[in-house]
PDB file of all heavy atoms in Angstrom:
ATOM      1  N   ARG D 109     -97.763-117.316-227.641  1.00  0.00           N
ATOM      2  CA  ARG D 109     -98.057-118.704-227.981  1.00  0.00           C
ATOM      3  C   ARG D 109     -96.884-119.629-227.703  1.00  0.00           C
ATOM      4  O   ARG D 109     -97.050-120.711-227.135  1.00  0.00           O
ATOM      5  CB  ARG D 109     -98.449-118.797-229.459  1.00  0.00           C
ATOM      6  CG  ARG D 109     -98.747-120.186-229.965  1.00  0.00           C
ATOM      7  CD  ARG D 109     -99.321-120.174-231.371  1.00  0.00           C
ATOM      8  NE  ARG D 109     -98.470-119.454-232.305  1.00  0.00           N
ATOM      9  CZ  ARG D 109     -98.833-118.324-232.916  1.00  0.00           C
ATOM     10  NH1 ARG D 109    -100.011-117.782-232.674  1.00  0.00           N
ATOM     11  NH2 ARG D 109     -98.023-117.728-233.767  1.00  0.00           N
ATOM     12  N   SER D 110     -95.666-119.210-228.080  1.00  0.00           N
ATOM     13  CA  SER D 110     -94.538-120.168-228.030  1.00  0.00           C
ATOM     14  C   SER D 110     -93.263-119.608-227.425  1.00  0.00           C
ATOM     15  O   SER D 110     -92.241-120.285-227.449  1.00  0.00           O
ATOM     16  CB  SER D 110     -94.244-120.688-229.441  1.00  0.00           C
ATOM     17  OG  SER D 110     -93.976-119.622-230.318  1.00  0.00           O
ATOM     18  N   GLY D 111     -93.275-118.378-226.915  1.00  0.00           N
ATOM     19  CA  GLY D 111     -92.092-117.850-226.248  1.00  0.00           C
ATOM     20  C   GLY D 111     -91.148-117.120-227.197  1.00  0.00           C
ATOM     21  O   GLY D 111     -91.558-116.593-228.225  1.00  0.00           O
ATOM     22  N   LEU D 112     -89.877-117.135-226.841  1.00  0.00           N
ATOM     23  CA  LEU D 112     -88.876-116.337-227.546  1.00  0.00           C
ATOM     24  C   LEU D 112     -88.192-117.083-228.683  1.00  0.00           C
ATOM     25  O   LEU D 112     -87.114-116.685-229.133  1.00  0.00           O
ATOM     26  CB  LEU D 112     -87.807-115.855-226.553  1.00  0.00           C
ATOM     27  CG  LEU D 112     -88.285-115.021-225.370  1.00  0.00           C
ATOM     28  CD1 LEU D 112     -87.098-114.539-224.533  1.00  0.00           C
ATOM     29  CD2 LEU D 112     -89.110-113.826-225.838  1.00  0.00           C
ATOM     30  N   VAL D 113     -88.810-118.145-229.174  1.00  0.00           N
ATOM     31  CA  VAL D 113     -88.171-118.973-230.196  1.00  0.00           C
ATOM     32  C   VAL D 113     -87.839-118.165-231.450  1.00  0.00           C
ATOM     33  O   VAL D 113     -86.838-118.440-232.138  1.00  0.00           O
ATOM     34  CB  VAL D 113     -89.074-120.183-230.531  1.00  0.00           C
ATOM     35  CG1 VAL D 113     -90.395-119.731-231.118  1.00  0.00           C
ATOM     36  CG2 VAL D 113     -88.387-121.144-231.471  1.00  0.00           C
ATOM     37  N   PHE D 114     -88.644-117.144-231.760  1.00  0.00           N
ATOM     38  CA  PHE D 114     -88.394-116.345-232.961  1.00  0.00           C
ATOM     39  C   PHE D 114     -87.071-115.595-232.895  1.00  0.00           C
ATOM     40  O   PHE D 114     -86.503-115.230-233.934  1.00  0.00           O
ATOM     41  CB  PHE D 114     -89.537-115.342-233.174  1.00  0.00           C
ATOM     42  CG  PHE D 114     -89.348-114.462-234.382  1.00  0.00           C
ATOM     43  CD1 PHE D 114     -89.536-114.961-235.661  1.00  0.00           C
ATOM     44  CD2 PHE D 114     -88.955-113.141-234.244  1.00  0.00           C
ATOM     45  CE1 PHE D 114     -89.344-114.159-236.772  1.00  0.00           C
ATOM     46  CE2 PHE D 114     -88.768-112.324-235.354  1.00  0.00           C
ATOM     47  CZ  PHE D 114     -88.967-112.839-236.623  1.00  0.00           C
ATOM     48  N   LEU D 115     -86.554-115.394-231.679  1.00  0.00           N
ATOM     49  CA  LEU D 115     -85.301-114.660-231.537  1.00  0.00           C
ATOM     50  C   LEU D 115     -84.142-115.396-232.218  1.00  0.00           C
ATOM     51  O   LEU D 115     -83.140-114.773-232.586  1.00  0.00           O
ATOM     52  CB  LEU D 115     -84.990-114.442-230.052  1.00  0.00           C
ATOM     53  CG  LEU D 115     -84.087-113.259-229.695  1.00  0.00           C
ATOM     54  CD1 LEU D 115     -84.621-111.962-230.263  1.00  0.00           C
ATOM     55  CD2 LEU D 115     -83.930-113.144-228.184  1.00  0.00           C
ATOM     56  N   GLN D 116     -84.266-116.704-232.403  1.00  0.00           N
ATOM     57  CA  GLN D 116     -83.235-117.451-233.138  1.00  0.00           C
ATOM     58  C   GLN D 116     -83.133-116.944-234.573  1.00  0.00           C
ATOM     59  O   GLN D 116     -82.027-116.785-235.106  1.00  0.00           O
ATOM     60  CB  GLN D 116     -83.563-118.947-233.128  1.00  0.00           C
ATOM     61  CG  GLN D 116     -83.588-119.557-231.736  1.00  0.00           C
ATOM     62  CD  GLN D 116     -84.064-121.001-231.757  1.00  0.00           C
ATOM     63  OE1 GLN D 116     -83.387-121.911-231.293  1.00  0.00           O
ATOM     64  NE2 GLN D 116     -85.249-121.226-232.302  1.00  0.00           N
ATOM     65  N   ALA D 117     -84.280-116.696-235.196  1.00  0.00           N
ATOM     66  CA  ALA D 117     -84.284-116.145-236.551  1.00  0.00           C
ATOM     67  C   ALA D 117     -83.732-114.725-236.559  1.00  0.00           C
ATOM     68  O   ALA D 117     -83.032-114.324-237.493  1.00  0.00           O
ATOM     69  CB  ALA D 117     -85.696-116.175-237.128  1.00  0.00           C
ATOM     70  N   ALA D 118     -84.041-113.942-235.514  1.00  0.00           N
ATOM     71  CA  ALA D 118     -83.539-112.571-235.433  1.00  0.00           C
ATOM     72  C   ALA D 118     -82.012-112.549-235.321  1.00  0.00           C
ATOM     73  O   ALA D 118     -81.356-111.645-235.852  1.00  0.00           O
ATOM     74  CB  ALA D 118     -84.171-111.857-234.242  1.00  0.00           C
ATOM     75  N   LEU D 119     -81.445-113.537-234.652  1.00  0.00           N
ATOM     76  CA  LEU D 119     -79.979-113.626-234.570  1.00  0.00           C
ATOM     77  C   LEU D 119     -79.389-113.940-235.942  1.00  0.00           C
ATOM     78  O   LEU D 119     -78.334-113.414-236.311  1.00  0.00           O
ATOM     79  CB  LEU D 119     -79.575-114.704-233.554  1.00  0.00           C
ATOM     80  CG  LEU D 119     -79.857-114.371-232.088  1.00  0.00           C
ATOM     81  CD1 LEU D 119     -79.643-115.604-231.222  1.00  0.00           C
ATOM     82  CD2 LEU D 119     -78.959-113.234-231.611  1.00  0.00           C
ATOM     83  N   GLY D 120     -80.060-114.792-236.709  1.00  0.00           N
ATOM     84  CA  GLY D 120     -79.612-115.060-238.072  1.00  0.00           C
ATOM     85  C   GLY D 120     -79.671-113.810-238.925  1.00  0.00           C
ATOM     86  O   GLY D 120     -78.779-113.549-239.745  1.00  0.00           O
ATOM     87  N   ALA D 121     -80.706-112.983-238.720  1.00  0.00           N
ATOM     88  CA  ALA D 121     -80.823-111.731-239.463  1.00  0.00           C
ATOM     89  C   ALA D 121     -79.699-110.765-239.104  1.00  0.00           C
ATOM     90  O   ALA D 121     -79.198-110.024-239.959  1.00  0.00           O
ATOM     91  CB  ALA D 121     -82.183-111.088-239.179  1.00  0.00           C
ATOM     92  N   PHE D 122     -79.284-110.760-237.854  1.00  0.00           N
ATOM     93  CA  PHE D 122     -78.171-109.899-237.439  1.00  0.00           C
ATOM     94  C   PHE D 122     -76.883-110.307-238.157  1.00  0.00           C
ATOM     95  O   PHE D 122     -76.126-109.460-238.652  1.00  0.00           O
ATOM     96  CB  PHE D 122     -77.975-109.988-235.921  1.00  0.00           C
ATOM     97  CG  PHE D 122     -76.884-109.105-235.395  1.00  0.00           C
ATOM     98  CD1 PHE D 122     -77.120-107.764-235.147  1.00  0.00           C
ATOM     99  CD2 PHE D 122     -75.612-109.615-235.155  1.00  0.00           C
ATOM    100  CE1 PHE D 122     -76.110-106.942-234.663  1.00  0.00           C
ATOM    101  CE2 PHE D 122     -74.600-108.807-234.675  1.00  0.00           C
ATOM    102  CZ  PHE D 122     -74.860-107.458-234.432  1.00  0.00           C
ATOM    103  N   ALA D 123     -76.633-111.621-238.240  1.00  0.00           N
ATOM    104  CA  ALA D 123     -75.445-112.110-238.949  1.00  0.00           C
ATOM    105  C   ALA D 123     -75.513-111.759-240.431  1.00  0.00           C
ATOM    106  O   ALA D 123     -74.491-111.437-241.061  1.00  0.00           O
ATOM    107  CB  ALA D 123     -75.319-113.622-238.765  1.00  0.00           C
ATOM    108  N   ALA D 124     -76.715-111.787-241.004  1.00  0.00           N
ATOM    109  CA  ALA D 124     -76.873-111.472-242.425  1.00  0.00           C
ATOM    110  C   ALA D 124     -76.508-110.027-242.724  1.00  0.00           C
ATOM    111  O   ALA D 124     -76.010-109.717-243.812  1.00  0.00           O
ATOM    112  CB  ALA D 124     -78.306-111.755-242.861  1.00  0.00           C
ATOM    113  N   ARG D 125     -76.744-109.127-241.781  1.00  0.00           N
ATOM    114  CA  ARG D 125     -76.393-107.719-241.989  1.00  0.00           C
ATOM    115  C   ARG D 125     -74.887-107.562-242.223  1.00  0.00           C
ATOM    116  O   ARG D 125     -74.460-106.769-243.067  1.00  0.00           O
ATOM    117  CB  ARG D 125     -76.808-106.887-240.773  1.00  0.00           C
ATOM    118  CG  ARG D 125     -78.264-106.537-240.732  1.00  0.00           C
ATOM    119  CD  ARG D 125     -78.606-105.813-239.432  1.00  0.00           C
ATOM    120  NE  ARG D 125     -79.846-105.083-239.542  1.00  0.00           N
ATOM    121  CZ  ARG D 125     -81.046-105.607-239.460  1.00  0.00           C
ATOM    122  NH1 ARG D 125     -81.165-106.907-239.256  1.00  0.00           N
ATOM    123  NH2 ARG D 125     -82.130-104.864-239.578  1.00  0.00           N
ATOM    124  N   ILE D 126     -74.108-108.275-241.474  1.00  0.00           N
ATOM    125  CA  ILE D 126     -72.651-108.202-241.636  1.00  0.00           C
ATOM    126  C   ILE D 126     -72.256-108.761-242.998  1.00  0.00           C
ATOM    127  O   ILE D 126     -71.445-108.177-243.727  1.00  0.00           O
ATOM    128  CB  ILE D 126     -71.955-108.978-240.498  1.00  0.00           C
ATOM    129  CG1 ILE D 126     -72.341-108.354-239.145  1.00  0.00           C
ATOM    130  CG2 ILE D 126     -70.447-108.972-240.681  1.00  0.00           C
ATOM    131  CD1 ILE D 126     -71.860-109.135-237.949  1.00  0.00           C
ATOM    132  N   PHE D 127     -72.868-109.885-243.374  1.00  0.00           N
ATOM    133  CA  PHE D 127     -72.589-110.511-244.668  1.00  0.00           C
ATOM    134  C   PHE D 127     -72.923-109.561-245.817  1.00  0.00           C
ATOM    135  O   PHE D 127     -72.109-109.314-246.710  1.00  0.00           O
ATOM    136  CB  PHE D 127     -73.395-111.805-244.772  1.00  0.00           C
ATOM    137  CG  PHE D 127     -73.360-112.455-246.125  1.00  0.00           C
ATOM    138  CD1 PHE D 127     -72.266-113.197-246.531  1.00  0.00           C
ATOM    139  CD2 PHE D 127     -74.436-112.316-246.998  1.00  0.00           C
ATOM    140  CE1 PHE D 127     -72.236-113.796-247.780  1.00  0.00           C
ATOM    141  CE2 PHE D 127     -74.416-112.907-248.243  1.00  0.00           C
ATOM    142  CZ  PHE D 127     -73.311-113.648-248.639  1.00  0.00           C
ATOM    143  N   VAL D 128     -74.121-108.993-245.795  1.00  0.00           N
ATOM    144  CA  VAL D 128     -74.563-108.097-246.865  1.00  0.00           C
ATOM    145  C   VAL D 128     -73.733-106.817-246.860  1.00  0.00           C
ATOM    146  O   VAL D 128     -73.341-106.309-247.921  1.00  0.00           O
ATOM    147  CB  VAL D 128     -76.060-107.769-246.703  1.00  0.00           C
ATOM    148  CG1 VAL D 128     -76.482-106.664-247.668  1.00  0.00           C
ATOM    149  CG2 VAL D 128     -76.899-109.015-246.945  1.00  0.00           C
ATOM    150  N   GLY D 129     -73.449-106.295-245.675  1.00  0.00           N
ATOM    151  CA  GLY D 129     -72.686-105.061-245.580  1.00  0.00           C
ATOM    152  C   GLY D 129     -71.311-105.151-246.217  1.00  0.00           C
ATOM    153  O   GLY D 129     -70.840-104.187-246.843  1.00  0.00           O
ATOM    154  N   PHE D 130     -70.670-106.306-246.111  1.00  0.00           N
ATOM    155  CA  PHE D 130     -69.307-106.434-246.614  1.00  0.00           C
ATOM    156  C   PHE D 130     -69.212-107.037-248.011  1.00  0.00           C
ATOM    157  O   PHE D 130     -68.192-106.876-248.679  1.00  0.00           O
ATOM    158  CB  PHE D 130     -68.472-107.270-245.635  1.00  0.00           C
ATOM    159  CG  PHE D 130     -68.039-106.489-244.424  1.00  0.00           C
ATOM    160  CD1 PHE D 130     -68.815-106.468-243.282  1.00  0.00           C
ATOM    161  CD2 PHE D 130     -66.883-105.730-244.441  1.00  0.00           C
ATOM    162  CE1 PHE D 130     -68.438-105.732-242.171  1.00  0.00           C
ATOM    163  CE2 PHE D 130     -66.485-104.987-243.340  1.00  0.00           C
ATOM    164  CZ  PHE D 130     -67.268-104.991-242.198  1.00  0.00           C
ATOM    165  N   PHE D 131     -70.271-107.706-248.491  1.00  0.00           N
ATOM    166  CA  PHE D 131     -70.173-108.347-249.801  1.00  0.00           C
ATOM    167  C   PHE D 131     -71.063-107.729-250.870  1.00  0.00           C
ATOM    168  O   PHE D 131     -70.800-107.897-252.054  1.00  0.00           O
ATOM    169  CB  PHE D 131     -70.504-109.839-249.686  1.00  0.00           C
ATOM    170  CG  PHE D 131     -69.433-110.644-248.997  1.00  0.00           C
ATOM    171  CD1 PHE D 131     -69.601-111.050-247.689  1.00  0.00           C
ATOM    172  CD2 PHE D 131     -68.254-110.965-249.653  1.00  0.00           C
ATOM    173  CE1 PHE D 131     -68.618-111.786-247.046  1.00  0.00           C
ATOM    174  CE2 PHE D 131     -67.259-111.698-249.012  1.00  0.00           C
ATOM    175  CZ  PHE D 131     -67.445-112.108-247.699  1.00  0.00           C
ATOM    176  N   PHE D 132     -72.128-107.004-250.464  1.00  0.00           N
ATOM    177  CA  PHE D 132     -73.075-106.504-251.455  1.00  0.00           C
ATOM    178  C   PHE D 132     -73.106-104.985-251.579  1.00  0.00           C
ATOM    179  O   PHE D 132     -73.183-104.460-252.689  1.00  0.00           O
ATOM    180  CB  PHE D 132     -74.495-106.978-251.102  1.00  0.00           C
ATOM    181  CG  PHE D 132     -74.785-108.413-251.445  1.00  0.00           C
ATOM    182  CD1 PHE D 132     -73.831-109.404-251.308  1.00  0.00           C
ATOM    183  CD2 PHE D 132     -76.037-108.789-251.892  1.00  0.00           C
ATOM    184  CE1 PHE D 132     -74.101-110.729-251.605  1.00  0.00           C
ATOM    185  CE2 PHE D 132     -76.335-110.103-252.187  1.00  0.00           C
ATOM    186  CZ  PHE D 132     -75.360-111.074-252.048  1.00  0.00           C
ATOM    187  N   ILE D 133     -73.069-104.286-250.448  1.00  0.00           N
ATOM    188  CA  ILE D 133     -73.415-102.866-250.436  1.00  0.00           C
ATOM    189  C   ILE D 133     -72.468-102.019-251.288  1.00  0.00           C
ATOM    190  O   ILE D 133     -72.914-101.192-252.105  1.00  0.00           O
ATOM    191  CB  ILE D 133     -73.458-102.331-248.995  1.00  0.00           C
ATOM    192  CG1 ILE D 133     -74.584-103.028-248.217  1.00  0.00           C
ATOM    193  CG2 ILE D 133     -73.663-100.820-248.988  1.00  0.00           C
ATOM    194  CD1 ILE D 133     -75.956-102.865-248.839  1.00  0.00           C
ATOM    195  N   ARG D 134     -71.174-102.174-251.121  1.00  0.00           N
ATOM    196  CA  ARG D 134     -70.230-101.362-251.902  1.00  0.00           C
ATOM    197  C   ARG D 134     -70.429-101.575-253.388  1.00  0.00           C
ATOM    198  O   ARG D 134     -70.404-100.618-254.178  1.00  0.00           O
ATOM    199  CB  ARG D 134     -68.786-101.707-251.509  1.00  0.00           C
ATOM    200  CG  ARG D 134     -67.739-100.931-252.322  1.00  0.00           C
ATOM    201  CD  ARG D 134     -66.332-101.320-251.912  1.00  0.00           C
ATOM    202  NE  ARG D 134     -66.061-102.716-252.161  1.00  0.00           N
ATOM    203  CZ  ARG D 134     -65.691-103.205-253.349  1.00  0.00           C
ATOM    204  NH1 ARG D 134     -65.591-102.400-254.398  1.00  0.00           N
ATOM    205  NH2 ARG D 134     -65.449-104.488-253.493  1.00  0.00           N
ATOM    206  N   MET D 135     -70.666-102.821-253.763  1.00  0.00           N
ATOM    207  CA  MET D 135     -70.849-103.169-255.164  1.00  0.00           C
ATOM    208  C   MET D 135     -72.053-102.433-255.765  1.00  0.00           C
ATOM    209  O   MET D 135     -71.970-101.850-256.845  1.00  0.00           O
ATOM    210  CB  MET D 135     -71.043-104.681-255.244  1.00  0.00           C
ATOM    211  CG  MET D 135     -71.339-105.249-256.587  1.00  0.00           C
ATOM    212  SD  MET D 135     -71.502-107.032-256.428  1.00  0.00           S
ATOM    213  CE  MET D 135     -72.909-107.169-255.341  1.00  0.00           C
ATOM    214  N   PHE D 136     -73.172-102.425-255.031  1.00  0.00           N
ATOM    215  CA  PHE D 136     -74.370-101.766-255.542  1.00  0.00           C
ATOM    216  C   PHE D 136     -74.207-100.252-255.554  1.00  0.00           C
ATOM    217  O   PHE D 136     -74.532 -99.589-256.537  1.00  0.00           O
ATOM    218  CB  PHE D 136     -75.584-102.133-254.684  1.00  0.00           C
ATOM    219  CG  PHE D 136     -75.964-103.583-254.744  1.00  0.00           C
ATOM    220  CD1 PHE D 136     -76.619-104.187-253.682  1.00  0.00           C
ATOM    221  CD2 PHE D 136     -75.681-104.357-255.856  1.00  0.00           C
ATOM    222  CE1 PHE D 136     -76.975-105.522-253.724  1.00  0.00           C
ATOM    223  CE2 PHE D 136     -76.033-105.692-255.913  1.00  0.00           C
ATOM    224  CZ  PHE D 136     -76.684-106.275-254.833  1.00  0.00           C
ATOM    225  N   HIS D 137     -73.736 -99.699-254.451  1.00  0.00           N
ATOM    226  CA  HIS D 137     -73.665 -98.245-254.319  1.00  0.00           C
ATOM    227  C   HIS D 137     -72.680 -97.651-255.321  1.00  0.00           C
ATOM    228  O   HIS D 137     -72.978 -96.645-255.982  1.00  0.00           O
ATOM    229  CB  HIS D 137     -73.265 -97.873-252.893  1.00  0.00           C
ATOM    230  CG  HIS D 137     -73.483 -96.437-252.555  1.00  0.00           C
ATOM    231  ND1 HIS D 137     -72.631 -95.437-252.968  1.00  0.00           N
ATOM    232  CD2 HIS D 137     -74.459 -95.819-251.849  1.00  0.00           C
ATOM    233  CE1 HIS D 137     -73.064 -94.277-252.540  1.00  0.00           C
ATOM    234  NE2 HIS D 137     -74.182 -94.473-251.851  1.00  0.00           N
ATOM    235  N   ASP D 138     -71.521 -98.270-255.440  1.00  0.00           N
ATOM    236  CA  ASP D 138     -70.496 -97.708-256.319  1.00  0.00           C
ATOM    237  C   ASP D 138     -70.801 -97.901-257.802  1.00  0.00           C
ATOM    238  O   ASP D 138     -70.179 -97.260-258.648  1.00  0.00           O
ATOM    239  CB  ASP D 138     -69.130 -98.331-255.991  1.00  0.00           C
ATOM    240  CG  ASP D 138     -68.626 -97.910-254.620  1.00  0.00           C
ATOM    241  OD1 ASP D 138     -69.257 -97.022-254.011  1.00  0.00           O
ATOM    242  OD2 ASP D 138     -67.616 -98.468-254.149  1.00  0.00           O
ATOM    243  N   SER D 139     -71.762 -98.768-258.125  1.00  0.00           N
ATOM    244  CA  SER D 139     -72.117 -98.979-259.535  1.00  0.00           C
ATOM    245  C   SER D 139     -72.931 -97.811-260.095  1.00  0.00           C
ATOM    246  O   SER D 139     -73.059 -97.683-261.309  1.00  0.00           O
ATOM    247  CB  SER D 139     -72.928-100.272-259.683  1.00  0.00           C
ATOM    248  OG  SER D 139     -74.227-100.122-259.135  1.00  0.00           O
ATOM    249  N   GLY D 140     -73.483 -96.986-259.198  1.00  0.00           N
ATOM    250  CA  GLY D 140     -74.293 -95.862-259.649  1.00  0.00           C
ATOM    251  C   GLY D 140     -75.685 -96.247-260.091  1.00  0.00           C
ATOM    252  O   GLY D 140     -76.388 -95.437-260.712  1.00  0.00           O
ATOM    253  N   CYS D 141     -76.138 -97.457-259.777  1.00  0.00           N
ATOM    254  CA  CYS D 141     -77.453 -97.922-260.197  1.00  0.00           C
ATOM    255  C   CYS D 141     -78.560 -97.230-259.401  1.00  0.00           C
ATOM    256  O   CYS D 141     -78.395 -96.923-258.225  1.00  0.00           O
ATOM    257  CB  CYS D 141     -77.574 -99.431-259.986  1.00  0.00           C
ATOM    258  SG  CYS D 141     -76.461-100.416-261.017  1.00  0.00           S
ATOM    259  N   LEU D 142     -79.693 -97.008-260.052  1.00  0.00           N
ATOM    260  CA  LEU D 142     -80.885 -96.533-259.352  1.00  0.00           C
ATOM    261  C   LEU D 142     -81.668 -97.690-258.757  1.00  0.00           C
ATOM    262  O   LEU D 142     -82.417 -97.516-257.798  1.00  0.00           O
ATOM    263  CB  LEU D 142     -81.791 -95.747-260.306  1.00  0.00           C
ATOM    264  CG  LEU D 142     -81.198 -94.490-260.949  1.00  0.00           C
ATOM    265  CD1 LEU D 142     -82.235 -93.812-261.828  1.00  0.00           C
ATOM    266  CD2 LEU D 142     -80.673 -93.539-259.894  1.00  0.00           C
ATOM    267  N   SER D 143     -81.508 -98.856-259.336  1.00  0.00           N
ATOM    268  CA  SER D 143     -82.122-100.081-258.841  1.00  0.00           C
ATOM    269  C   SER D 143     -81.033-101.149-258.801  1.00  0.00           C
ATOM    270  O   SER D 143     -80.219-101.251-259.724  1.00  0.00           O
ATOM    271  CB  SER D 143     -83.263-100.520-259.761  1.00  0.00           C
ATOM    272  OG  SER D 143     -83.569-101.890-259.579  1.00  0.00           O
ATOM    273  N   ILE D 144     -81.026-101.959-257.741  1.00  0.00           N
ATOM    274  CA  ILE D 144     -79.982-102.986-257.636  1.00  0.00           C
ATOM    275  C   ILE D 144     -80.088-104.018-258.746  1.00  0.00           C
ATOM    276  O   ILE D 144     -79.108-104.705-259.056  1.00  0.00           O
ATOM    277  CB  ILE D 144     -80.013-103.682-256.256  1.00  0.00           C
ATOM    278  CG1 ILE D 144     -81.388-104.336-256.007  1.00  0.00           C
ATOM    279  CG2 ILE D 144     -79.673-102.700-255.153  1.00  0.00           C
ATOM    280  CD1 ILE D 144     -81.434-105.165-254.747  1.00  0.00           C
ATOM    281  N   TYR D 145     -81.246-104.122-259.382  1.00  0.00           N
ATOM    282  CA  TYR D 145     -81.403-105.111-260.447  1.00  0.00           C
ATOM    283  C   TYR D 145     -80.706-104.669-261.735  1.00  0.00           C
ATOM    284  O   TYR D 145     -80.467-105.496-262.621  1.00  0.00           O
ATOM    285  CB  TYR D 145     -82.891-105.395-260.673  1.00  0.00           C
ATOM    286  CG  TYR D 145     -83.568-105.681-259.361  1.00  0.00           C
ATOM    287  CD1 TYR D 145     -84.564-104.843-258.870  1.00  0.00           C
ATOM    288  CD2 TYR D 145     -83.154-106.739-258.555  1.00  0.00           C
ATOM    289  CE1 TYR D 145     -85.142-105.068-257.637  1.00  0.00           C
ATOM    290  CE2 TYR D 145     -83.730-106.975-257.322  1.00  0.00           C
ATOM    291  CZ  TYR D 145     -84.725-106.130-256.866  1.00  0.00           C
ATOM    292  OH  TYR D 145     -85.278-106.347-255.637  1.00  0.00           O
ATOM    293  N   GLU D 146     -80.378-103.383-261.829  1.00  0.00           N
ATOM    294  CA  GLU D 146     -79.556-102.923-262.946  1.00  0.00           C
ATOM    295  C   GLU D 146     -78.166-103.549-262.886  1.00  0.00           C
ATOM    296  O   GLU D 146     -77.523-103.748-263.918  1.00  0.00           O
ATOM    297  CB  GLU D 146     -79.453-101.402-262.933  1.00  0.00           C
ATOM    298  CG  GLU D 146     -80.742-100.688-263.305  1.00  0.00           C
ATOM    299  CD  GLU D 146     -80.567 -99.180-263.369  1.00  0.00           C
ATOM    300  OE1 GLU D 146     -80.155 -98.574-262.346  1.00  0.00           O
ATOM    301  OE2 GLU D 146     -80.822 -98.602-264.442  1.00  0.00           O
ATOM    302  N   TRP D 147     -77.693-103.827-261.678  1.00  0.00           N
ATOM    303  CA  TRP D 147     -76.390-104.494-261.548  1.00  0.00           C
ATOM    304  C   TRP D 147     -76.440-105.874-262.196  1.00  0.00           C
ATOM    305  O   TRP D 147     -75.478-106.293-262.865  1.00  0.00           O
ATOM    306  CB  TRP D 147     -75.992-104.612-260.074  1.00  0.00           C
ATOM    307  CG  TRP D 147     -74.643-105.213-259.888  1.00  0.00           C
ATOM    308  CD1 TRP D 147     -73.445-104.573-259.872  1.00  0.00           C
ATOM    309  CD2 TRP D 147     -74.353-106.620-259.715  1.00  0.00           C
ATOM    310  NE1 TRP D 147     -72.422-105.470-259.696  1.00  0.00           N
ATOM    311  CE2 TRP D 147     -72.953-106.732-259.596  1.00  0.00           C
ATOM    312  CE3 TRP D 147     -75.115-107.770-259.646  1.00  0.00           C
ATOM    313  CZ2 TRP D 147     -72.310-107.959-259.414  1.00  0.00           C
ATOM    314  CZ3 TRP D 147     -74.486-108.995-259.467  1.00  0.00           C
ATOM    315  CH2 TRP D 147     -73.108-109.074-259.349  1.00  0.00           C
TER     316      TRP D 147
END
């Protein structure tokens, strides 16, 4: 219908992986939680 315009959002998602990987993941994993909402 509209071409590759959605790839702009996919690029934002790629950047988000780096953000989450460095600011969230260690915190959740090392807390020992079974659910991240326990944090």
